[in-house]
Amino acid sequence: MQIQKDKYTRMLHAIAYVVILGLSVACLLPFLLIISASLTSNESIIRDGYHLIPGQFSLEGYKTVFIFPDEVLRAYTVTIVTTVVGTALGLFFMTMSGYVLARKDFKYRNTFSFYIYFTTLFGGGLVPWYIMITKYLGLLDSYAVLVLPGLMTPFLIILMKNFVKSAVPEELFDSGKMDGAGDFRIYWQIVLKLSMPGIATVGLFLALYYWNDWFTSSLFINDTHKYQLQFYLYNVINSAQFIAQMGAGTGVSLATEVPAESTKMAMAIVVNGPILFLYPFVQRYFVKGLTIGAVKG
Amino acid sequence: MFLMLLPTLIFFLVNSYFPMVGIYYAFTQFDFNSSMFNSKFVGLQNFEFLWRSGTLVKLTMNTIGYNIAFIVLGNVLAIACAILLSELNGKWFKKISQSIMFLPYFVSFVILSVIVYNLFNYDSGFLNTMLTQFGLDPVDVYSKPWAWIFLIIIFYLWKNLGYSMVIYLAAITGISDEYYEAAKIDGANIFQRIWYITVPMLKSTFVVLLLFALGSIMKGQFDLFYQLIGNNGLLYNTTDILDTYVYRSLKVTFDVGMATAAGVYQSLFGFVLIMTVNYIIRKINDDYALF
């Protein structure tokens, strides 16, 4: 049955199309600008500035990035390894504590929930935390420091607890116990299987955090070989001498005209390529997870 | 079962509770070479200096001001978009535009700084390229502190719109169709239906998001500010927040005692603020209180 649209409905639809279309373009435009800039020749950028359509098409920028692929690839490796290890470890611990805190027969669950939650209310601040990690744990310039501090957040633990609560019926705990399964076995064989959507969401949040992290490197890493990808990019963008250094470091003298501007943009694309590429596949899990979280509260 | 919780407990003990002891540094003249309790005790001197120089007031105003703008504008825009999007029925259009608006949430803040550079760079930025093409004078955005108030807010919205929109969309999908049918029969037009049904139904989602946001009102969006402004001293007056000040004091100017003091102030002030807000909310409506 086709319902006749009244004039108000038509008006609202017109507004909606204009607004949504406008915002979508605004969200997309910056990406197009960077992609275009990375494909423009450097002289053309310096002469005419950035344009939406490359003034003078060229792949110089990408070529320069890959003259010395070692640096980029090393930063890539650091980021991939920290992301995989951090996400796996973090998920393991967070799902486990989410499960324990969701169990009604665990006596101290409220005490420990508050113990975790309280850290979001009050803390020592950045400096004592920094001193703790560098001076007392001695983690400066170690790979461990890239993984450990971000392993868990109270928010994700609470999210996980709610997922377990809504996905696993309490009777399953009892029947598992009756069949002689230990607490860990119940967690490993029942809880994990049933809370897959929750695990996917929390895992994605965590992976995104590790992939986009530049802050940890900037605080705790001095050895350039251990830079995460994002911090490496940050340095490339901020140091004008980057290319000269790269030449000096490897003993190769570069041609006088180094395409600095387009190289920066090409670098940005190379660093974020994987996320942009994976995005369409990952996005619906995020939406699903957020939806479950929002409705179930 | 306690064993399974142990790693998490240790993690928070080390990562969050031990550093609380370090608050002591705020009362000392920091010396990196001596151990914690050997540093010279100076009482409230660090705080006094921050207060006298006017730094604390400025930082507090900036931090809270930006956060209020983020919360108000962010939620209003997200609610408006979610409502508009939910009223449309083109399936493809809905899906694609939703995906595009969610995209900025996924890119890192470092990329955001590249984007801003690309847009506003004086010599070759997109803005100035456009301006000169139309025969206008180029603008040096990087020397205009007032412009960054708007830019920071705009880029915050740009990055977070898709995320909060999805949450509101989910809430809208949860509203039963019966309400709309009944309203239609009673002759309500689409604007009335939105205003009297959809908007009130979003209240609880809004309150939950608001409370979370209020909880972190003293913590700015460090990444956003630092990546956009960096160490550009020209812009500090309008863009410096507590987080960026503390970070700079630690990494650039090495005022460790001062940085700790500012951090402690931030933590305490935030704590008191949350407690007050929570108390007030519990008085008004118990269901919405955080704890």
Side-chain angles (χ1 to χ4, degrees):
Chain A
M1 186 183 78
Q2 180 70 44
I3 301 164
Q4 195 66 42
K5 284 185 188 172
D6 58 59
K7 70 172 191 229
Y8 291 109
T9 310
R10 277 203 304 273
M11 206 159 99
L12 184 97
H13 280 191
I15 297 172
Y17 274 114
V18 171
V19 171
I20 300 292
L21 213 62
L23 285 172
S24 301
V25 170
C27 284
L28 206 57
L29 196 72
F31 294 104
L32 296 178
L33 268 174
I34 293 191
I35 293 173
S36 149
S38 74
L39 291 170
T40 312
S41 85
N42 201 51
E43 300 90 76
S44 150
I45 294 181
I46 290 174
R47 192 164 10 93
D48 311 321
Y50 292 121
H51 282 274
L52 207 48
I53 298 150
Q56 210 172 21
F57 184 82
S58 140
L59 288 173
E60 289 170 74
Y62 289 94
K63 275 188 198 141
T64 322
V65 170
F66 286 110
I67 289 179
F68 307 107
D70 293 6
E71 301 266 315
V72 188
L73 290 180
R74 196 174 304 121
Y76 247 109
T77 318
V78 172
T79 292
I80 291 173
V81 171
T82 48
T83 303
V84 171
V85 173
T87 309
L89 265 183
L91 264 185
F92 180 59
F93 291 143
M94 285 198 291
T95 46
M96 213 150 60
S97 30
Y99 156 67
V100 174
L101 294 175
R103 284 267 301 248
K104 285 242 169 67
D105 55 340
F106 184 59
K107 223 168 120 193
Y108 302 107
R109 66 177 196 286
N110 286 330
T111 319
F112 287 129
S113 292
F114 188 75
Y115 168 87
I116 292 169
Y117 176 69
F118 183 73
T119 60
T120 63
L121 296 180
F122 187 76
L126 178 70
V127 180
W129 180 69
Y130 177 84
I131 293 169
M132 170 90 216
I133 285 177
T134 53
K135 225 178 146 184
Y136 294 95
L137 298 179
L139 288 178
L140 199 70
D141 257 339
S142 69
Y143 285 114
V145 82
L146 293 177
V147 174
L148 290 179
L151 218 46
M152 295 180 227
T153 61
F155 173 70
L156 291 182
I157 292 180
I158 291 166
L159 202 66
M160 204 59 232
K161 181 181 106 180
N162 288 340
F163 270 122
V164 173
K165 251 189 196 161
S166 66
V168 189
E170 259 174 81
E171 295 79 42
L172 275 182
F173 297 140
D174 296 333
S175 75
K177 255 196 246 161
M178 222 108 83
D179 291 340
D183 290 327
F184 187 78
R185 186 132 171 224
I186 295 176
Y187 154 75
W188 193 250
Q189 292 189 331
I190 300 174
V191 175
L192 281 190
K193 292 224 168 67
L194 287 175
S195 35
M196 252 0 226
I199 294 173
T201 313
V202 172
L204 283 171
F205 269 113
L206 202 57
L208 191 65
Y209 160 78
Y210 277 113
W211 185 270
N212 282 344
D213 184 28
W214 60 275
F215 185 60
T216 321
S217 278
S218 92
L219 274 181
F220 300 117
I221 304 291
N222 297 319
D223 178 359
T224 50
H225 288 174
K226 291 175 184 161
Y227 280 170
Q228 291 156 297
L229 198 53
Q230 300 289 347
F231 191 60
Y232 179 72
L233 170 69
Y234 173 77
N235 277 324
V236 169
I237 289 157
N238 283 288
S239 70
Q241 279 108 16
F242 147 73
I243 294 186
Q245 278 168 5
M246 212 161 66
T250 48
V252 182
S253 70
L254 290 168
T256 41
E257 280 299 314
V258 186
E261 291 293 319
S262 52
T263 306
K264 281 183 196 173
M265 299 300 151
M267 195 70 178
I269 299 296
V270 169
V271 165
N272 268 260
I275 283 276
L276 295 182
F277 182 73
L278 278 175
Y279 170 72
F281 306 101
V282 174
Q283 193 230 161
R284 63 200 184 98
Y285 289 102
F286 258 100
V287 172
K288 213 186 272 168
L290 282 175
T291 312
I292 297 170
V295 173
K296 298 254 162 81
Chain B
M1 249 189 297
F2 179 72
L3 266 182
M4 293 172 72
L5 197 58
L6 199 60
T8 310
L9 298 181
I10 294 174
F11 174 83
F12 283 105
L13 186 67
V14 173
N15 208 41
S16 309
Y17 285 95
F18 282 169
M20 287 181 199
V21 182
I23 287 174
Y24 180 74
Y25 287 122
F27 305 100
T28 64
Q29 193 163 31
F30 183 78
D31 175 8
F32 208 92
N33 292 317
S34 69
S35 81
M36 186 158 138
F37 294 99
N38 289 336
S39 293
K40 197 176 148 217
F41 185 81
V42 293
L44 290 173
Q45 206 177 297
N46 289 323
F47 292 96
E48 221 181 296
F49 183 84
L50 279 174
W51 177 256
R52 284 245 186 82
S53 64
T55 318
L56 271 191
V57 179
K58 186 187 80 185
L59 292 176
T60 312
M61 297 293 272
N62 280 350
T63 311
I64 293 184
Y66 277 111
N67 268 310
I68 289 176
F70 291 160
I71 294 169
V72 172
L73 293 174
N75 278 302
V76 168
L77 196 63
I79 291 175
C81 284
I83 290 176
L84 289 180
L85 206 58
S86 71
E87 291 292 342
L88 291 176
N89 23 32
K91 209 177 161 202
W92 276 99
F93 180 79
K94 256 170 130 167
K95 260 201 178 137
I96 291 175
S97 55
Q98 197 190 330
S99 296
I100 291 175
M101 285 157 93
F102 205 175
L103 182 62
Y105 184 76
F106 283 77
V107 300
S108 72
F109 284 98
V110 181
I111 293 298
L112 187 62
S113 78
V114 178
I115 287 171
V116 172
Y117 173 85
N118 184 316
L119 285 172
F120 298 118
N121 169 22
Y122 183 72
D123 293 320
S124 47
F126 184 69
L127 177 74
N128 283 338
T129 311
M130 280 291 143
L131 285 178
T132 41
Q133 222 158 49
F134 290 115
L136 298 165
D137 288 331
V139 186
D140 187 8
V141 184
Y142 281 93
S143 65
K144 301 222 165 14
W146 57 267
W148 290 92
I149 300 177
F150 299 99
L151 289 178
I152 282 181
I153 294 173
I154 288 171
F155 280 106
Y156 171 85
L157 296 175
W158 181 78
K159 207 163 183 305
N160 291 293
L161 174 62
Y163 179 84
S164 25
M165 190 180 77
V166 166
I167 296 178
Y168 282 116
L169 263 178
I172 291 177
T173 350
I175 302 173
S176 160
D177 277 339
E178 286 166 31
Y179 294 113
Y180 294 105
E181 297 296 335
K184 237 184 226 172
I185 291 164
D186 287 345
N189 70 39
I190 195 162
F191 289 104
Q192 289 164 330
R193 291 202 296 271
I194 289 172
W195 188 248
Y196 292 110
I197 301 173
T198 317
V199 174
M201 290 293 230
L202 290 178
K203 200 177 116 197
S204 68
T205 311
F206 171 72
V207 172
V208 170
L209 289 184
L210 180 72
L211 284 174
F212 268 106
L214 283 178
S216 53
I217 199 163
M218 287 303 277
K219 293 174 204 135
Q221 300 268 330
F222 171 76
D223 293 76
L224 175 71
F225 285 83
Y226 195 75
Q227 288 295 345
L228 288 195
I229 307 301
N231 296 322
N232 185 347
L234 273 178
L235 308 177
Y236 287 165
N237 250 329
T238 58
T239 61
D240 213 12
I241 54 170
L242 279 156
D243 291 299
T244 47
Y245 176 81
V246 173
Y247 178 82
R248 246 189 0 259
S249 307
L250 176 67
K251 289 295 283 186
V252 185
T253 52
F254 302 108
D255 283 330
V256 176
M258 214 74 82
T260 321
V264 170
Y265 164 77
Q266 177 182 25
S267 236
L268 265 181
F269 198 104
F271 185 66
V272 173
L273 207 65
I274 300 168
M275 286 314 197
T276 320
V277 169
N278 193 57
Y279 177 79
I280 295 171
I281 290 168
R282 212 164 34 198
K283 276 270 147 102
I284 301 169
N285 187 343
D286 211 16
D287 293 339
Y288 288 135
L290 274 172
F291 45 86

